[in-house]
C-alpha cells in the first residue's frame, strides 16, 4: 500500500480549560529520562505520550523498555517517518505485538497524542484489546502483518528493566529523541482507549483532558508539563520519578496552550 500523510484532528485545551503547562525539549543528542521499576503487571497496561516532532526523516526513539538487542517494548519513528510499536520477545524474531504504521507523520508543527493499550489476558487478544491511537483515532493501516499477543504473553514493559524516554540502542547505534514531550504516562493493570485521556470537541478537535484522576496502579506514573518532564517528576501520587541524563530543556510550548 502507498504511504499517505496522516491527518487527524488538532489538539485543543481540555474540558474546563485544562492546560498542560509546557513541555520538555529532548535535544536529539544526549537527553533522556530513565527509570527501572520493580516487576509489575506486564500483561495489561496503557501508555500515553503527548509530543511534537522536531526532526523528520531520521530514526527517533520515543521510549523503550528493555534493550533493542534483546527483549523490549518500544515506540519509535523510522527514517521514513512511520510509527513503529513493537514488543519483541528477544528470541528468534518473535514479536508479542508488532504494529508498524503504513501512514507517515511529517508535520513538525503538529502535536500528537499517542495512546498504546496492551492486554494479553483475553481469550484471543486482538485489535479490540491492543492497539495504538493517535489523537483519538486507532491506527488500522499497517505495513505487513498485524501481530497481537497470545493469551497471557508477558511484555518487557513494567518488568525490572530500564524504561527510557528519549533514547535507545538499535542495531548497535544509539538513537535519541528530537522532540517536545508534554506528557508521558503509564496506567498499570488497565488497557484503556484514548477516550480515557481526551475527547473530540463538537468542531472535531481532539482535546486533552486532565489525567490526574485516573487510577495509575503501583508502577504507574504521570510526567506532565515542562518542569516535571525535565526533572522526571511523577505527579500521579506514586513518586515513581525518572532520572534525567543529558540535556532536556523546559519550554512553554504545549499541546494545549501553543508556544506561550
Amino acid at each position: 500500500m502507498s504511504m499517505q500523510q496522516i491527518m487527524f484532528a488538532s489538539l485543543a485545551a481540555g474540558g474546563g480549560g485544562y492546560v498542560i503547562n509546557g513541555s520538555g525539549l529532548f535535544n536529539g543528542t544526549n537527553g533522556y529520562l530513565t527509570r527501572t521499576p520493580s516487576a509489575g503487571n506486564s500483561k495489561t497496561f496503557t501508555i500515553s505520550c503527548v509530543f511534537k516532532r522536531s526532526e523528520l526523516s531520521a530514526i527517533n526513539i520515543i521510549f523503550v523498555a528493555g534493550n533493542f538487542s534483546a527483549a523490549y517494548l518500544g515506540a519509535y519513528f523510522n527514517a521514513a517517518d512511520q510509527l513503529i510499536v513493537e514488543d519483541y520477545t528477544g528470541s528468534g524474531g518473535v514479536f508479542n505485538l508488532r504494529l508498524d504504521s503504513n501512514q507517515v507523520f511529517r508535520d513538525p508543527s503538529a502535536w500528537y497524542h499517542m495512546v498504546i493499550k496492551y492486554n494479553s489476558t483475553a481469550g484471543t487478544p486482538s485489535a479490540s484489546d491492543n492497539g495504538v491511537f493517535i489523537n483519538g483515532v486507532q491506527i488500522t493501516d499497517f505495513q505487513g502483518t498485524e501481530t497481537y499477543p497470545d493469551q497471557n504473553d508477558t511484555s518487557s514493559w513494567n518488568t525490572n528493566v530500564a524504561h527510557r524516554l528519549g533514547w535507545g540502542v538499535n542495531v548497535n547505534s544509539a538513537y535519541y529523541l528530537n522532540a517536545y514531550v508534554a506528557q508521558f504516562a503509564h496506567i498499570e493493570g488497565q488497557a484503556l482507549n484514548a477516550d480515557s485521556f481526551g475527547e473530540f470537541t463538537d468542531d472535531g478537535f481532539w482535546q486533552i483532558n486532565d489525567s490526574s484522576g485516573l487510577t495509575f496502579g503501583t508502577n504507574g506514573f504521570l510526567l506532565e508539563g515542562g518542569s516535571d518532564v525535565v526533572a522526571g517528576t511523577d505527579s500521579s501520587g506514586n513518586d515513581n520519578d525518572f532520572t534525567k541524563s543529558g540535556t532536556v530543556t523546559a519550554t512553554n510550548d504545549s499541546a494545549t496552550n501553543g508556544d506561550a
Side-chain angles (χ1 to χ4, degrees), residues 88-95 98:
Y88 180 53
T89 65
S91 176
V94 177
F95 291 83
R98 188 169 187 174

Side-chain angles (χ1 to χ4, degrees), residues 232-243:
T233 302
D234 171 25
S235 60
S236 73
N238 286 335
D239 295 326
N240 291 327
D241 297 336
F242 281 63
T243 300

Side-chain angles (χ1 to χ4, degrees), residues 6-91:
I6 194 162
M7 299 295 292
F8 286 124
S10 300
L11 299 189
Y18 181 70
V19 170
I20 298 175
N21 292 314
S23 59
L25 174 57
F26 290 72
N27 66 358
T29 303
N30 61 15
Y32 67 96
L33 305 178
T34 186
R35 177 177 182 269
T36 301
S38 58
N41 189 335
S42 60
K43 297 179 182 180
T44 309
F45 54 83
T46 309
I47 302 165
S48 173
C49 188
V50 179
F51 61 89
K52 181 172 69 172
R53 303 191 67 191
S54 298
E55 180 183 39
L56 305 179
S57 303
I59 295 175
N60 266 233
I61 291 174
I62 304 170
F63 72 83
V64 62
N67 191 317
F68 279 105
S69 63
Y72 66 87
L73 183 142
Y76 63 94
F77 288 102
N78 64 15
D81 300 313
Q82 295 158 310
L83 177 62
I84 312 297
V85 177
E86 299 173 333
D87 186 49
Y88 180 53
T89 65
S91 176

Side-chain angles (χ1 to χ4, degrees), residues 35-42 44-47 156-161 163 184-189 215-223 234 236-242:
R35 177 177 182 269
T36 301
S38 58
N41 189 335
S42 60
T44 309
F45 54 83
T46 309
I47 302 165
S156 291
W157 183 262
N158 209 28
T159 61
N160 187 221
V161 297
H163 290 46
F184 186 49
H186 165 218
I187 307 295
E188 179 181 14
T215 301
F216 289 88
T218 301
N219 281 344
F221 56 78
L222 175 63
L223 311 183
D234 171 25
S236 73
N238 286 335
D239 295 326
N240 291 327
D241 297 336
F242 281 63

Side-chain angles (χ1 to χ4, degrees), residues 104-189:
V104 296
F105 298 78
R106 290 179 176 158
D107 186 352
S109 68
W111 281 95
Y112 297 108
H113 179 204
M114 176 180 69
V115 174
I116 299 169
K117 70 171 184 176
Y118 187 105
N119 182 9
S120 68
T121 64
T124 305
S126 65
S128 62
D129 310 293
N130 303 265
V132 182
F133 299 78
I134 295 290
N135 293 358
V137 179
Q138 186 166 2
I139 297 177
T140 58
D141 185 13
F142 301 104
Q143 308 171 57
T145 303
E146 302 168 49
T147 301
Y148 296 103
D150 291 329
Q151 187 175 28
N152 293 323
D153 276 348
T154 56
S155 168
S156 291
W157 183 262
N158 209 28
T159 61
N160 187 221
V161 297
H163 290 46
R164 299 183 180 94
L165 173 65
W167 175 78
V169 176
N170 191 357
V171 195
N172 300 318
S173 296
Y175 294 97
Y176 291 87
L177 178 64
N178 194 334
Y180 297 81
V181 177
Q183 181 194 88
F184 186 49
H186 165 218
I187 307 295
E188 179 181 14

